[in-house]
Amino acid sequence: MSADDDETMAGESHPGTGLPGPMIVLAGGVLVGAINIYLAASLLPTAVADLGGASFYAWNMTIYLVAMVVATMLAGRSLSRWGNVGAYLIGFATFTAGSLACALSPAMAVLLASRGLQGLGAGLLSGLGFAVIRSALPPRLWTRGTALMSAMYGVGNFAGPALGGLFAQLGSWRPAFAVMAVVSAVCGALVPRVLPSVLPSGERGDPRPPVPVVSLLLVTAAAGAVSVAGVLEGTFAKAAGVGVALLLVAGFVVHERGSELRVFPRTTYQGGSSLKWVYLTLGLLAFGVAAESFLPLFGQRLAGLAPLVAGFFAAAISLGWSLTQIGSSLVTGGRAVRRLRVLGPLLLAAGLLVQGLLQREEAPIWLVAVWVPVLFVAGAGIGLAYPHLSVAAMSSTRDPEEGRRAAAGIATVTSLSIAFGTAVAGVLVNLGGGSMLDSARYVLFGLALLCAIGALTAHAANRTDPSPTTRPPLTRPATRADGGGRSQQ
């Protein structure tokens, strides 16, 4: 088979000259969801002063993240049923409706329900952003495409607090949600113009694919438990919440291994497969992002920074993540890719460790200036490894339906890991008691240790996939064991 046939089978269904259009839609979908993870956190104090309902304050992030995690797991099935255009239109419409409902909310309960609707749209768009790369871009551009997708998480973590802080400082929170609705609507209007209207030949799945209800319930409960753990009072309560979440995740894995109706591809649970190690490494990299939730607090308390300045200081991790991927995505050699997979978690862990060592009470301005490049280097560790791990997940199976599911799983793993990491960081903050310096060190040292484990999982991924390349395997449909024509769900 020729190289041209290879690329056609792998999903080059859109003309190469129109690539900017699809990438605007794919990246825009991931970006609006990433921005909204932290946008409302900056706006909520102003919203509470307007609407009341302070007792529901903590549920803002919980409802959004749980809805987002659930929706990412349905992205592959949405593609099978409605195709690229239909699935994206549903995602943007849901997010736009949720954003408008947030802007018009008359009470806190309505705002929280609207945030859940936003989360469903954001999660679907995040999952689609990775899954549709297989059909919207030629394989030679998968690494750059996934680099852009994952960079949107970093940009969102930077833009969310900045946008929210700007509107909060102006004393008006509703226009921020209206702006997000407009951005989402514009991206949605582009969808029919720039995306393939159907999936490539051989990739259409069941028009009514079954939903893995048990898996969804288990992972929803886990996401809810870890999100609630992050807002509980007391170290023991937080640890108990994280423990319950881990048990639910274990139950999820056990169920998926023995079920024919699953969220992640069958390959994830097969012995000798690299996919489970790829997902674990992606998750541990995402843990490092959790530090951004607490860095503004440390900057204000330990260095006396103004809130807006502290917010931009904390975004140095996301900035390093986003910018580094520009160069990392150009690396194609198998040996270099393997090294970047391992180097990324090590660099992230080293940056967090050094940042912990540099924490001081009443830190002088020169020391604060040193913090920024250190955090940038930590974020660069994510940028070095993330795009290559994403392509490894996308290329892990020859079955196109399973391949889309593997790609959509990237967003699921990232969203769930950010939720887990934030809750774990909340537990570590409490270990410091009344000392903000101790709290900062516990968070940074603890997250550094967890992220360093990613080097081990990356090594395991390299060992089971010794020759990673940016070129995927042929994507011809697999046959069912019972003789049917489609891959088994």
Side-chain angles (χ1 to χ4, degrees):
M1 182 175 292
S2 68
D4 290 340
D5 292 337
D6 184 3
E7 289 206 355
T8 299
M9 291 184 66
E12 187 173 4
S13 59
H14 195 82
T17 56
L19 289 177
M23 292 315 301
I24 289 173
V25 170
L26 271 60
V30 176
L31 179 61
V32 293
I35 287 176
N36 274 272
I37 292 177
Y38 295 106
L39 174 71
S42 301
L43 296 173
L44 209 58
T46 306
V48 167
D50 184 18
L51 301 177
S55 59
F56 294 100
Y57 189 101
W59 287 92
N60 163 70
M61 185 71 79
T62 300
I63 291 176
Y64 183 82
L65 282 176
V66 169
M68 190 173 180
V69 168
V70 171
T72 59
M73 296 190 300
L74 297 176
R77 284 169 171 78
S78 298
L79 281 174
S80 293
R81 183 168 183 180
W82 292 296
N84 294 343
V85 172
Y88 255 103
L89 288 176
I90 291 172
F92 278 119
T94 303
F95 185 86
T96 301
S99 298
L100 288 174
C102 286
L104 300 173
S105 295
M108 180 57 69
V110 178
L111 178 61
L112 293 177
S114 302
R115 284 285 284 168
L117 189 60
Q118 261 194 327
L120 290 174
L124 182 56
L125 292 171
S126 295
L128 291 173
F130 289 95
V132 174
I133 285 177
R134 290 176 57 91
S135 58
L137 298 181
R140 59 188 169 80
L141 295 180
W142 280 11
T143 301
R144 297 184 190 181
T146 54
L148 181 60
M149 295 300 99
S150 53
M152 291 302 99
Y153 284 106
V155 174
N157 289 352
F158 182 87
L163 181 63
L166 174 62
F167 280 97
Q169 191 163 333
L170 295 175
S172 182
W173 59 275
R174 296 181 188 272
F177 288 113
V179 168
M180 296 310 305
V182 171
V183 173
S184 175
V186 170
C187 290
L190 292 174
V191 168
R193 298 173 178 268
V194 301
L195 285 186
S197 60
V198 295
L199 296 176
S201 176
E203 289 199 21
R204 182 167 300 281
D206 192 331
R208 292 184 178 274
V211 176
V213 176
V214 175
S215 293
L216 284 174
L217 288 175
L218 286 170
V219 80
T220 299
V226 75
S227 297
V228 170
V231 299
L232 290 175
E233 295 294 334
T235 302
F236 178 79
K238 287 179 178 289
V242 173
V244 169
L246 290 174
L247 289 175
L248 289 168
V249 169
F252 169 81
V253 172
V254 170
H255 171 74
E256 289 249 311
R257 285 177 63 91
S259 174
E260 291 299 326
L261 193 59
R262 59 176 66 86
V263 171
F264 293 112
R266 180 186 301 104
T267 310
T268 310
Y269 308 102
Q270 292 176 344
S273 168
S274 65
L275 187 55
K276 56 181 172 293
W277 301 116
V278 168
Y279 279 155
L280 283 171
T281 309
L282 284 168
L284 290 167
L285 286 172
F287 258 61
V289 181
E292 290 191 330
S293 299
F294 297 92
L295 287 173
L297 176 65
F298 302 152
Q300 292 178 50
R301 297 288 183 84
L302 297 178
L305 299 178
L308 188 59
V309 175
F312 280 106
F313 145 75
I317 290 179
S318 291
L319 188 62
W321 175 3
S322 301
L323 293 182
T324 304
Q325 290 185 122
I326 297 174
S328 177
S329 64
L330 300 177
V331 177
T332 58
R335 179 176 298 179
V337 167
R338 289 196 298 272
R339 290 175 177 173
L340 290 179
R341 287 178 181 177
V342 177
L343 178 61
L346 289 176
L347 194 60
L348 172 60
L352 294 175
L353 176 63
V354 172
Q355 182 69 12
L357 294 172
L358 292 176
Q359 298 302 292
R360 297 287 188 278
E361 294 279 6
E362 300 181 359
I365 189 64
W366 68 265
L367 184 59
V368 175
V370 175
W371 290 354
V372 176
V374 170
L375 291 173
F376 184 93
V377 169
I382 305 176
L384 288 178
Y386 201 104
H388 300 291
L389 291 164
S390 298
V391 170
M394 293 169 59
S395 307
S396 61
T397 175
R398 301 170 68 89
D399 184 332
E401 179 66 25
E402 291 283 278
R404 288 199 304 275
R405 194 175 300 173
I410 299 167
T412 302
V413 169
T414 301
S415 300
L416 190 58
S417 296
I418 291 174
F420 264 90
T422 302
V424 169
V427 173
L428 296 172
V429 164
N430 277 349
L431 293 179
S435 171
M436 186 55 60
L437 178 59
D438 289 344
S439 293
R441 287 174 174 170
Y442 276 125
V443 169
L444 293 167
F445 292 158
L447 291 179
L449 178 61
L450 290 171
C451 294
I453 298 173
L456 300 178
T457 58
H459 178 71
N462 288 342
R463 189 177 65 250
T464 51
D465 181 21
S467 301
T469 67
T470 58
R471 190 172 188 81
L474 300 181
T475 53
R476 59 172 61 93
T479 57
R480 293 176 55 167
D482 60 4
R486 284 190 302 269
S487 62
Q488 195 142 332
Q489 300 286 334

